[in-house]
Amino acid sequence: MWEGEASVGGSKVYPYGSTAAVRAHVLAALGVLKVASPDQIRRLMCSGHKDNKTVRNACLDLARHNLVVSEGSARDGNKLWGRTPLGLEAASEVLARPFSEMGGTARGAARSGAPHAMAANETIIAITRTTPEPTRPVRRTQPETEPAALLPAARDTSAAAGAGIGTVASWSTEVVYHLPAGARNRSAVQADAVLIAPEAGVPVLLVEVDNCTETPDVLAAKFDRYRRFFRLKTKGHQGLEVPVWSTLYPPTGREGHPPVAVVFNPGIRTGEQALKNRMNRVLELTRDLWSGRYERMGSVLSDPADGYTNYTDAIPLLFTTLPRLKEHGPIEAVWWRCGHRQWETLTDALANPDDIDAWHHRDEEHRRERDQQLEQERLQQEADLQRELRTLPPAAPPSPPPAPCKRCGQPVTGTPGIRYEDAPPEDDRHCPDCCIDLVQQSPGLFKALFGRTTST
Protein backbone atom coordinates (compact mmCIF):
# COMPACT_ATOMS: atom_id res chain seq x y z
CA MET A 1 0.00 0.00 0.00
CA TRP A 2 1.25 3.50 -0.75
CA GLU A 3 0.31 6.75 0.98
CA GLY A 4 -3.07 7.92 -0.18
CA GLU A 5 -4.51 4.41 -0.41
CA ALA A 6 -6.88 3.37 2.37
CA SER A 7 -6.23 0.19 4.35
CA VAL A 8 -8.39 -2.82 3.78
CA GLY A 9 -9.34 -2.85 7.45
CA GLY A 10 -10.12 0.86 7.61
CA SER A 11 -13.35 2.63 8.40
CA LYS A 12 -15.05 5.77 7.23
CA VAL A 13 -13.62 7.71 10.18
CA TYR A 14 -10.13 6.20 9.95
CA PRO A 15 -9.83 4.83 6.41
CA TYR A 16 -6.15 3.88 6.80
CA GLY A 17 -6.97 1.33 9.50
CA SER A 18 -4.90 2.81 12.35
CA THR A 19 -5.64 1.83 15.92
CA ALA A 20 -6.44 4.19 18.76
CA ALA A 21 -3.24 3.16 20.56
CA VAL A 22 -0.97 4.01 17.64
CA ARG A 23 -2.77 7.32 17.02
CA ALA A 24 -2.18 8.19 20.69
CA HIS A 25 1.51 7.28 20.23
CA VAL A 26 1.77 9.67 17.31
CA LEU A 27 0.07 12.53 19.15
CA ALA A 28 2.23 12.01 22.26
CA ALA A 29 5.43 11.91 20.22
CA LEU A 30 4.61 15.02 18.22
CA GLY A 31 3.43 16.71 21.41
CA VAL A 32 7.06 16.53 22.58
CA LEU A 33 9.18 16.38 19.41
CA LYS A 34 7.00 18.84 17.44
CA VAL A 35 8.27 17.42 14.13
CA ALA A 36 9.43 13.86 13.47
CA SER A 37 9.54 11.06 10.93
CA PRO A 38 7.38 7.93 11.27
CA ASP A 39 10.52 5.92 11.98
CA GLN A 40 11.49 8.21 14.87
CA ILE A 41 7.96 8.04 16.25
CA ARG A 42 8.03 4.25 16.09
CA ARG A 43 11.41 3.98 17.85
CA LEU A 44 10.37 6.41 20.56
CA MET A 45 6.84 5.13 21.19
CA CYS A 46 6.33 1.59 19.86
CA SER A 47 9.65 0.07 18.95
CA GLY A 48 8.14 -3.42 19.09
CA HIS A 49 6.37 -2.85 15.79
CA LYS A 50 8.03 -4.54 12.84
CA ASP A 51 8.10 -1.48 10.57
CA ASN A 52 6.81 2.08 10.19
CA LYS A 53 3.62 1.17 8.33
CA THR A 54 1.31 1.38 11.34
CA VAL A 55 2.74 4.77 12.30
CA ARG A 56 2.42 6.11 8.74
CA ASN A 57 -1.20 4.98 8.60
CA ALA A 58 -1.90 6.66 11.94
CA CYS A 59 -0.36 9.90 10.64
CA LEU A 60 -2.55 9.75 7.52
CA ASP A 61 -5.69 9.13 9.57
CA LEU A 62 -4.85 11.96 11.98
CA ALA A 63 -4.16 14.28 9.04
CA ARG A 64 -7.72 13.67 7.78
CA HIS A 65 -8.92 15.13 11.10
CA ASN A 66 -6.52 18.10 10.94
CA LEU A 67 -4.53 16.93 13.95
CA VAL A 68 -1.19 16.46 12.18
CA VAL A 69 0.25 17.87 8.99
CA SER A 70 2.99 16.82 6.61
CA GLU A 71 6.04 19.08 7.11
CA GLY A 72 8.04 18.00 4.06
CA SER A 73 11.03 15.66 4.20
CA ALA A 74 14.23 15.32 6.15
CA ARG A 75 17.62 15.37 4.46
CA ASP A 76 17.61 11.56 4.37
CA GLY A 77 14.33 11.60 2.42
CA ASN A 78 12.04 10.48 5.27
CA LYS A 79 8.71 12.29 5.38
CA LEU A 80 8.24 14.53 8.39
CA TRP A 81 5.06 15.16 10.36
CA GLY A 82 4.15 17.96 12.71
CA ARG A 83 1.17 18.85 14.86
CA THR A 84 -1.51 21.42 14.08
CA PRO A 85 -2.98 23.78 16.68
CA LEU A 86 -5.89 21.34 17.01
CA GLY A 87 -3.44 18.47 17.31
CA LEU A 88 -1.61 20.43 20.03
CA GLU A 89 -4.74 20.28 22.16
CA ALA A 90 -5.16 16.57 21.47
CA ALA A 91 -1.52 15.90 22.40
CA SER A 92 -2.01 17.85 25.61
CA GLU A 93 -4.78 15.44 26.60
CA VAL A 94 -2.75 12.36 25.67
CA LEU A 95 0.26 13.55 27.67
CA ALA A 96 -1.91 14.80 30.56
CA ARG A 97 0.05 18.02 30.36
CA PRO A 98 -1.37 21.55 30.70
CA PHE A 99 -1.89 23.19 27.33
CA SER A 100 0.19 26.17 28.48
CA GLU A 101 3.24 23.89 28.76
CA MET A 102 2.92 22.37 25.28
CA GLY A 103 4.82 25.07 23.39
CA GLY A 104 4.05 26.03 19.82
CA THR A 105 3.88 24.21 16.52
CA ALA A 106 6.90 23.60 14.29
CA ARG A 107 5.99 25.94 11.44
CA GLY A 108 8.47 25.71 8.63
CA ALA A 109 10.83 23.48 10.63
CA ALA A 110 11.26 21.01 7.77
CA ARG A 111 11.88 23.47 4.93
CA SER A 112 15.62 22.84 5.16
CA GLY A 113 15.34 19.23 6.28
CA ALA A 114 15.18 20.10 10.01
CA PRO A 115 18.71 18.83 10.78
CA HIS A 116 18.76 20.19 14.33
CA ALA A 117 15.29 18.88 15.14
CA MET A 118 16.24 15.47 13.77
CA ALA A 119 19.38 15.38 15.96
CA ALA A 120 17.37 16.43 19.02
CA ASN A 121 14.86 13.66 18.27
CA GLU A 122 17.62 11.10 17.96
CA THR A 123 19.06 12.26 21.28
CA ILE A 124 15.73 11.83 23.06
CA ILE A 125 15.26 8.40 21.48
CA ALA A 126 18.79 7.32 22.46
CA ILE A 127 18.32 8.41 26.08
CA THR A 128 14.77 7.11 26.49
CA ARG A 129 15.32 3.76 24.72
CA THR A 130 11.71 2.68 24.94
CA THR A 131 11.37 -1.00 25.77
CA PRO A 132 9.50 -2.82 22.99
CA GLU A 133 6.10 -4.09 24.04
CA PRO A 134 4.89 -7.51 22.88
CA THR A 135 2.76 -7.19 19.78
CA ARG A 136 0.34 -9.67 18.31
CA PRO A 137 2.03 -11.41 15.36
CA VAL A 138 0.53 -10.71 11.97
CA ARG A 139 -0.35 -13.86 10.07
CA ARG A 140 1.33 -13.87 6.70
CA THR A 141 2.31 -16.53 4.23
CA GLN A 142 5.47 -18.17 5.57
CA PRO A 143 7.30 -21.41 4.77
CA GLU A 144 5.91 -24.35 6.73
CA THR A 145 9.21 -24.74 8.57
CA GLU A 146 8.93 -21.17 9.96
CA PRO A 147 5.38 -20.45 11.14
CA ALA A 148 4.53 -16.78 11.67
CA ALA A 149 3.40 -17.37 15.25
CA LEU A 150 6.94 -18.44 16.22
CA LEU A 151 8.72 -15.44 14.72
CA PRO A 152 10.04 -13.00 17.35
CA ALA A 153 8.73 -9.46 17.34
CA ALA A 154 11.07 -6.97 15.70
CA ARG A 155 13.17 -4.92 18.13
CA ASP A 156 14.86 -1.65 17.63
CA THR A 157 18.63 -2.12 17.83
CA SER A 158 19.26 1.07 19.74
CA ALA A 159 16.61 0.24 22.34
CA ALA A 160 17.93 -3.29 22.74
CA ALA A 161 21.47 -2.10 23.44
CA GLY A 162 20.73 -1.04 27.03
CA ALA A 163 18.32 0.49 29.50
CA GLY A 164 17.05 4.01 29.07
CA ILE A 165 15.84 6.87 31.24
CA GLY A 166 12.27 8.14 31.44
CA THR A 167 9.45 8.06 28.92
CA VAL A 168 8.17 10.45 26.29
CA ALA A 169 6.20 12.20 29.05
CA SER A 170 9.50 12.93 30.86
CA TRP A 171 10.60 15.29 28.07
CA SER A 172 9.97 18.84 26.94
CA THR A 173 11.62 20.47 23.95
CA GLU A 174 12.52 24.03 23.00
CA VAL A 175 12.03 25.29 26.56
CA VAL A 176 12.56 29.04 26.81
CA TYR A 177 13.92 30.72 29.94
CA HIS A 178 13.46 34.48 29.96
CA LEU A 179 16.15 36.78 31.31
CA PRO A 180 15.70 40.34 32.58
CA ALA A 181 15.01 42.74 29.73
CA GLY A 182 18.02 44.56 28.37
CA ALA A 183 18.28 48.15 27.28
CA ARG A 184 16.84 47.45 23.82
CA ASN A 185 15.42 43.96 23.71
CA ARG A 186 14.36 41.04 25.84
CA SER A 187 16.96 38.30 26.27
CA ALA A 188 16.32 34.60 26.75
CA VAL A 189 18.02 31.23 26.61
CA GLN A 190 16.37 28.16 25.09
CA ALA A 191 17.11 24.56 26.04
CA ASP A 192 16.82 22.07 23.19
CA ALA A 193 15.31 19.49 25.56
CA VAL A 194 14.64 19.03 29.27
CA LEU A 195 14.45 15.64 30.96
CA ILE A 196 12.60 15.24 34.28
CA ALA A 197 12.89 11.67 35.57
CA PRO A 198 13.30 11.71 39.38
CA GLU A 199 12.32 8.03 39.53
CA ALA A 200 15.54 7.31 37.59
CA GLY A 201 17.70 9.59 39.73
CA VAL A 202 17.50 12.49 37.27
CA PRO A 203 15.36 15.25 38.86
CA VAL A 204 16.20 17.56 35.96
CA LEU A 205 18.67 17.50 33.08
CA LEU A 206 18.88 20.25 30.47
CA VAL A 207 20.10 18.97 27.11
CA GLU A 208 21.84 20.90 24.37
CA VAL A 209 22.29 19.24 20.97
CA ASP A 210 25.26 20.53 18.97
CA ASN A 211 25.50 19.70 15.27
CA CYS A 212 29.01 21.20 15.19
CA THR A 213 27.95 23.90 12.74
CA GLU A 214 28.47 26.99 14.90
CA THR A 215 31.74 28.13 16.44
CA PRO A 216 32.75 26.91 19.93
CA ASP A 217 32.58 30.53 21.14
CA VAL A 218 28.91 30.79 20.17
CA LEU A 219 28.11 27.52 21.90
CA ALA A 220 30.05 28.47 25.04
CA ALA A 221 28.31 31.86 25.27
CA LYS A 222 24.99 30.07 25.69
CA PHE A 223 26.06 28.65 29.05
CA ASP A 224 26.75 32.11 30.40
CA ARG A 225 23.09 32.93 29.69
CA TYR A 226 22.12 29.72 31.47
CA ARG A 227 23.95 30.87 34.59
CA ARG A 228 22.32 34.27 34.41
CA PHE A 229 18.95 32.54 34.46
CA PHE A 230 19.96 30.17 37.26
CA ARG A 231 21.00 33.16 39.38
CA LEU A 232 17.57 34.79 39.15
CA LYS A 233 15.70 34.91 42.46
CA THR A 234 12.04 35.11 43.40
CA LYS A 235 10.00 35.06 46.59
CA GLY A 236 9.12 31.61 47.88
CA HIS A 237 6.10 30.48 49.89
CA GLN A 238 7.65 31.68 53.14
CA GLY A 239 8.69 35.02 51.74
CA LEU A 240 12.33 34.02 51.36
CA GLU A 241 14.32 34.38 48.16
CA VAL A 242 14.69 31.17 46.16
CA PRO A 243 16.10 30.49 42.68
CA VAL A 244 13.52 30.85 39.92
CA TRP A 245 14.52 27.49 38.46
CA SER A 246 13.61 25.76 41.74
CA THR A 247 9.98 26.81 41.20
CA LEU A 248 9.97 25.02 37.84
CA TYR A 249 11.82 21.79 38.59
CA PRO A 250 12.39 19.40 41.52
CA PRO A 251 15.47 19.93 43.70
CA THR A 252 18.57 18.26 42.32
CA GLY A 253 19.74 16.97 45.70
CA ARG A 254 23.19 18.39 44.93
CA GLU A 255 24.94 21.68 45.45
CA GLY A 256 24.89 24.06 42.51
CA HIS A 257 22.69 24.82 39.52
CA PRO A 258 20.80 22.24 37.42
CA PRO A 259 23.06 20.11 35.20
CA VAL A 260 23.38 20.78 31.48
CA ALA A 261 24.41 18.04 29.05
CA VAL A 262 25.84 18.80 25.62
CA VAL A 263 25.28 16.06 23.04
CA PHE A 264 27.73 16.56 20.19
CA ASN A 265 26.51 15.24 16.84
CA PRO A 266 29.57 15.14 14.55
CA GLY A 267 27.72 13.55 11.65
CA ILE A 268 29.90 12.89 8.63
CA ARG A 269 31.37 16.39 8.51
CA THR A 270 33.40 16.45 11.75
CA GLY A 271 36.25 14.00 12.22
CA GLU A 272 37.35 12.48 15.52
CA GLN A 273 40.25 14.88 16.12
CA ALA A 274 38.18 17.91 15.13
CA LEU A 275 35.48 16.79 17.58
CA LYS A 276 38.03 16.44 20.39
CA ASN A 277 39.39 19.90 19.64
CA ARG A 278 35.89 21.32 19.70
CA MET A 279 35.03 19.72 23.03
CA ASN A 280 38.30 20.88 24.59
CA ARG A 281 37.74 24.41 23.33
CA VAL A 282 34.22 24.58 24.80
CA LEU A 283 35.55 23.13 28.06
CA GLU A 284 38.18 25.86 28.36
CA LEU A 285 35.78 28.65 27.40
CA THR A 286 33.31 27.56 30.10
CA ARG A 287 35.80 26.77 32.88
CA ASP A 288 34.60 29.64 35.05
CA LEU A 289 31.03 28.30 34.83
CA TRP A 290 31.62 24.71 35.96
CA SER A 291 34.83 24.70 38.03
CA GLY A 292 33.48 26.06 41.34
CA ARG A 293 35.57 27.82 43.99
CA TYR A 294 38.09 26.15 46.29
CA GLU A 295 37.70 26.79 50.02
CA ARG A 296 40.34 25.91 52.65
CA MET A 297 38.86 24.16 55.66
CA GLY A 298 41.80 22.66 57.57
CA SER A 299 41.17 21.81 61.24
CA VAL A 300 43.29 20.61 64.16
CA LEU A 301 42.43 17.05 63.19
CA SER A 302 43.08 17.30 59.44
CA ASP A 303 45.67 18.55 57.00
CA PRO A 304 45.93 22.38 57.24
CA ALA A 305 45.87 22.51 53.43
CA ASP A 306 42.67 20.44 53.21
CA GLY A 307 39.47 21.98 51.87
CA TYR A 308 36.57 21.54 49.47
CA THR A 309 35.17 22.93 46.22
CA ASN A 310 32.18 25.22 46.54
CA TYR A 311 29.73 24.47 43.71
CA THR A 312 27.00 26.88 44.82
CA ASP A 313 27.32 28.99 41.66
CA ALA A 314 28.59 26.27 39.33
CA ILE A 315 26.82 24.49 36.47
CA PRO A 316 27.48 20.73 36.25
CA LEU A 317 28.44 20.57 32.56
CA LEU A 318 28.41 17.15 30.90
CA PHE A 319 29.65 16.17 27.43
CA THR A 320 28.73 13.15 25.34
CA THR A 321 28.22 12.30 21.69
CA LEU A 322 25.18 11.04 19.85
CA PRO A 323 27.02 7.96 18.52
CA ARG A 324 28.02 7.00 22.08
CA LEU A 325 24.44 7.35 23.32
CA LYS A 326 23.11 5.27 20.44
CA GLU A 327 25.67 2.52 20.95
CA HIS A 328 25.79 2.24 24.74
CA GLY A 329 22.75 4.05 26.14
CA PRO A 330 22.58 6.68 28.88
CA ILE A 331 23.19 4.30 31.80
CA GLU A 332 26.71 3.33 30.77
CA ALA A 333 29.89 5.41 31.18
CA VAL A 334 29.22 7.75 28.25
CA TRP A 335 29.28 11.09 30.13
CA TRP A 336 32.29 13.37 30.52
CA ARG A 337 31.79 15.80 33.43
CA CYS A 338 33.92 18.87 32.96
CA GLY A 339 36.51 18.70 35.72
CA HIS A 340 36.27 14.93 36.34
CA ARG A 341 38.76 13.88 33.63
CA GLN A 342 37.16 10.53 32.73
CA TRP A 343 34.08 8.93 31.18
CA GLU A 344 31.51 8.11 33.86
CA THR A 345 27.97 6.92 34.36
CA LEU A 346 25.38 9.66 34.70
CA THR A 347 25.12 9.14 38.47
CA ASP A 348 28.88 9.46 38.97
CA ALA A 349 29.13 12.36 36.54
CA LEU A 350 26.50 14.35 38.44
CA ALA A 351 28.13 13.72 41.83
CA ASN A 352 30.52 16.21 43.46
CA PRO A 353 33.20 14.04 45.10
CA ASP A 354 35.15 17.06 46.40
CA ASP A 355 32.32 19.21 47.81
CA ILE A 356 31.75 20.24 51.42
CA ASP A 357 29.96 16.99 52.22
CA ALA A 358 33.08 15.11 51.17
CA TRP A 359 35.19 17.36 53.42
CA HIS A 360 32.85 16.74 56.37
CA HIS A 361 33.19 13.02 55.69
CA ARG A 362 36.99 13.27 55.67
CA ASP A 363 36.98 15.39 58.81
CA GLU A 364 34.76 12.85 60.57
CA GLU A 365 37.12 10.09 59.46
CA HIS A 366 40.06 12.04 60.91
CA ARG A 367 38.12 12.52 64.13
CA ARG A 368 37.38 8.81 64.41
CA GLU A 369 41.01 7.96 63.68
CA ARG A 370 42.12 10.43 66.38
CA ASP A 371 39.66 8.95 68.90
CA GLN A 372 40.87 5.46 68.07
CA GLN A 373 44.49 6.57 68.52
CA LEU A 374 43.71 8.15 71.90
CA GLU A 375 41.89 5.00 73.01
CA GLN A 376 44.82 2.84 71.94
CA GLU A 377 47.21 5.10 73.87
CA ARG A 378 45.01 4.87 76.98
CA LEU A 379 44.88 1.09 76.76
CA GLN A 380 48.66 0.97 76.28
CA GLN A 381 49.22 3.15 79.36
CA GLU A 382 46.98 0.89 81.43
CA ALA A 383 48.86 -2.17 80.17
CA ASP A 384 52.22 -0.55 81.03
CA LEU A 385 50.97 0.33 84.53
CA GLN A 386 49.77 -3.20 85.15
CA ARG A 387 53.12 -4.57 83.96
CA GLU A 388 55.01 -2.25 86.33
CA LEU A 389 52.80 -3.24 89.24
CA ARG A 390 53.51 -6.89 88.57
CA THR A 391 57.31 -6.26 88.72
CA LEU A 392 57.31 -4.38 92.09
CA PRO A 393 58.49 -6.34 95.25
CA PRO A 394 55.77 -7.35 97.69
CA ALA A 395 54.97 -4.79 100.34
CA ALA A 396 56.34 -5.32 103.87
CA PRO A 397 53.82 -6.45 106.48
CA PRO A 398 52.49 -3.63 108.65
CA SER A 399 54.17 -2.99 112.03
CA PRO A 400 52.24 -4.18 115.07
CA PRO A 401 50.37 -1.45 116.90
CA PRO A 402 52.15 0.08 119.89
CA ALA A 403 51.27 -1.18 123.37
CA PRO A 404 48.67 0.82 125.28
CA CYS A 405 49.60 3.12 128.16
CA LYS A 406 49.23 1.42 131.52
CA ARG A 407 47.77 4.59 132.98
CA CYS A 408 45.38 6.00 130.27
CA GLY A 409 45.14 3.26 127.68
CA GLN A 410 46.39 5.45 124.79
CA PRO A 411 49.36 4.24 122.64
CA VAL A 412 52.65 4.57 124.50
CA THR A 413 54.02 6.51 121.47
CA GLY A 414 51.64 9.36 122.11
CA THR A 415 49.16 11.18 119.92
CA PRO A 416 50.27 11.09 116.25
CA GLY A 417 51.52 14.43 114.89
CA ILE A 418 52.47 15.93 118.29
CA ARG A 419 56.09 16.47 119.30
CA TYR A 420 56.86 15.81 123.00
CA GLU A 421 60.10 17.73 123.47
CA ASP A 422 59.88 18.00 127.30
CA ALA A 423 58.70 14.46 127.89
CA PRO A 424 60.90 12.10 129.84
CA PRO A 425 62.30 9.07 128.06
CA GLU A 426 59.82 6.45 126.99
CA ASP A 427 59.53 3.58 129.43
CA ASP A 428 57.37 1.39 127.14
CA ARG A 429 54.62 1.50 129.78
CA HIS A 430 53.23 5.08 129.72
CA CYS A 431 52.49 7.54 126.96
CA PRO A 432 54.35 10.90 126.88
CA ASP A 433 51.39 12.78 128.39
CA CYS A 434 51.26 10.43 131.33
CA CYS A 435 55.01 10.57 131.72
CA ILE A 436 54.94 14.38 131.91
CA ASP A 437 52.03 14.27 134.32
CA LEU A 438 53.77 11.79 136.60
CA VAL A 439 57.03 13.79 136.63
CA GLN A 440 55.17 16.82 137.84
CA GLN A 441 53.78 14.85 140.81
CA SER A 442 55.63 14.39 144.16
CA PRO A 443 59.03 12.74 144.01
CA GLY A 444 57.91 10.20 146.47
CA LEU A 445 55.14 9.05 144.31
CA PHE A 446 57.40 9.22 141.22
CA LYS A 447 60.03 7.18 142.95
CA ALA A 448 57.39 4.78 144.10
CA LEU A 449 56.20 4.35 140.57
CA PHE A 450 59.46 4.61 138.56
CA GLY A 451 62.26 4.23 140.99
CA ARG A 452 64.14 1.05 141.70
CA THR A 453 64.70 -0.45 145.09
CA THR A 454 68.43 -0.83 145.75
CA SER A 455 70.08 -2.49 148.71
CA THR A 456 72.74 -0.67 150.73
Side-chain angles (χ1 to χ4, degrees):
M1 182 197 315
W2 57 86
E3 292 183 357
E5 180 184 354
S7 171
V8 175
S11 64
K12 291 183 178 180
V13 180
Y14 299 107
Y16 292 92
S18 62
T19 64
V22 178
R23 291 194 298 272
H25 288 331
V26 172
L27 289 173
L30 294 181
V32 173
L33 305 183
K34 295 183 175 62
V35 59
S37 68
D39 178 65
Q40 289 178 330
I41 296 173
R42 179 189 68 83
R43 287 186 286 130
L44 176 62
M45 302 300 303
C46 49
S47 58
H49 285 265
K50 182 177 179 60
D51 51 38
N52 305 327
K53 180 179 178 181
T54 55
V55 176
R56 291 198 306 268
N57 289 341
C59 290
L60 292 170
D61 278 337
L62 290 171
R64 290 178 62 88
H65 295 270
N66 195 30
L67 296 177
V68 302
V69 61
S70 175
E71 292 283 357
S73 300
R75 291 183 176 180
D76 58 5
N78 288 319
K79 190 170 184 177
L80 300 179
W81 292 88
R83 62 194 183 186
T84 64
L86 186 60
L88 192 62
E89 297 182 13
S92 173
E93 295 182 5
V94 173
L95 293 169
R97 184 175 295 179
F99 182 76
S100 59
E101 298 179 6
M102 293 299 295
T105 57
R107 296 180 178 178
R111 291 178 182 175
S112 59
H116 188 268
M118 295 298 98
N121 293 352
E122 293 296 333
T123 299
I124 293 175
I125 294 169
I127 293 178
T128 307
R129 305 176 91 77
T130 304
T131 303
E133 297 179 357
T135 57
R136 182 177 300 175
V138 178
R139 290 187 175 275
R140 296 178 181 175
T141 303
Q142 298 288 344
E144 294 183 359
T145 58
E146 192 178 36
L150 298 180
L151 292 178
R155 290 175 61 91
D156 179 69
T157 56
S158 63
I165 299 176
T167 65
V168 66
S170 306
W171 289 93
S172 299
T173 57
E174 299 181 3
V175 182
V176 178
Y177 306 109
H178 293 288
L179 299 172
R184 297 184 178 179
N185 53 12
R186 190 175 184 180
S187 180
V189 60
Q190 176 177 293
D192 293 331
V194 178
L195 172 63
I196 302 177
E199 72 284 354
V202 187
V204 58
L205 178 66
L206 281 63
V207 180
E208 285 294 321
V209 180
D210 177 45
N211 276 349
C212 303
T213 55
E214 58 188 8
T215 65
D217 301 77
V218 173
L219 177 61
K222 189 171 186 178
F223 300 107
D224 184 64
R225 297 199 299 274
Y226 268 120
R227 186 166 68 173
R228 287 170 54 196
F229 170 74
F230 292 150
R231 286 174 170 176
L232 293 180
K233 303 289 185 179
T234 187
K235 293 290 185 180
H237 297 295
Q238 300 180 350
L240 302 176
E241 283 193 341
V242 297
V244 172
W245 70 263
S246 66
T247 64
L248 304 175
Y249 303 117
T252 63
R254 305 175 184 88
E255 187 180 39
H257 302 310
V260 181
V262 184
V263 180
F264 292 89
N265 177 33
I268 59 174
R269 301 173 305 277
T270 306
E272 181 178 354
Q273 187 58 48
L275 180 60
K276 290 182 180 179
N277 295 339
R278 180 178 183 84
M279 296 172 72
N280 287 330
R281 178 60 178 165
V282 175
L283 182 145
E284 290 299 328
L285 291 172
T286 57
R287 182 174 295 275
D288 177 63
L289 303 175
W290 54 258
S291 58
R293 185 178 69 255
Y294 187 76
E295 304 281 356
R296 293 189 180 275
M297 287 287 289
S299 68
V300 295
L301 299 178
S302 63
D303 187 347
D306 193 14
Y308 72 97
T309 302
N310 186 339
Y311 291 100
T312 304
D313 195 34
I315 300 176
L317 188 58
L318 283 63
F319 289 170
T320 189
T321 66
L322 187 54
R324 279 180 175 269
L325 283 176
K326 286 185 174 182
E327 181 179 358
H328 303 289
I331 304 299
E332 302 299 325
V334 299
W335 305 94
W336 185 283
R337 166 79 177 269
C338 292
H340 282 199
R341 302 179 181 276
Q342 61 184 347
W343 294 103
E344 298 174 302
T345 63
L346 185 58
T347 300
D348 292 340
L350 292 177
N352 297 323
D354 56 346
D355 62 2
I356 190 169
D357 291 336
W359 181 86
H360 282 305
H361 179 74
R362 291 196 304 275
D363 189 59
E364 185 62 26
E365 285 291 331
H366 294 154
R367 195 176 302 276
R368 283 197 292 266
E369 291 175 359
R370 178 61 177 170
D371 291 343
Q372 292 176 357
Q373 181 181 357
L374 292 176
E375 179 64 14
Q376 291 177 357
E377 292 176 355
R378 186 186 68 81
L379 294 176
Q380 185 63 39
Q381 290 176 356
E382 289 185 357
D384 294 342
L385 178 60
Q386 293 296 329
R387 186 166 52 254
E388 291 178 2
L389 292 176
R390 287 194 298 269
T391 58
L392 291 176
S399 301
C405 176
K406 299 296 183 180
R407 184 169 180 265
C408 66
Q410 297 296 324
V412 294
T413 56
T415 303
I418 298 179
R419 299 178 62 181
Y420 298 91
E421 297 179 353
D422 298 332
E426 295 181 2
D427 61 357
D428 296 331
R429 290 187 300 166
H430 298 87
C431 66
D433 291 328
C434 289
C435 290
I436 296 174
D437 188 34
L438 291 173
V439 168
Q440 294 175 355
Q441 295 182 11
S442 60
L445 180 60
F446 179 80
K447 184 177 294 184
L449 293 175
F450 299 100
R452 293 183 180 182
T453 303
T454 57
S455 57
T456 58

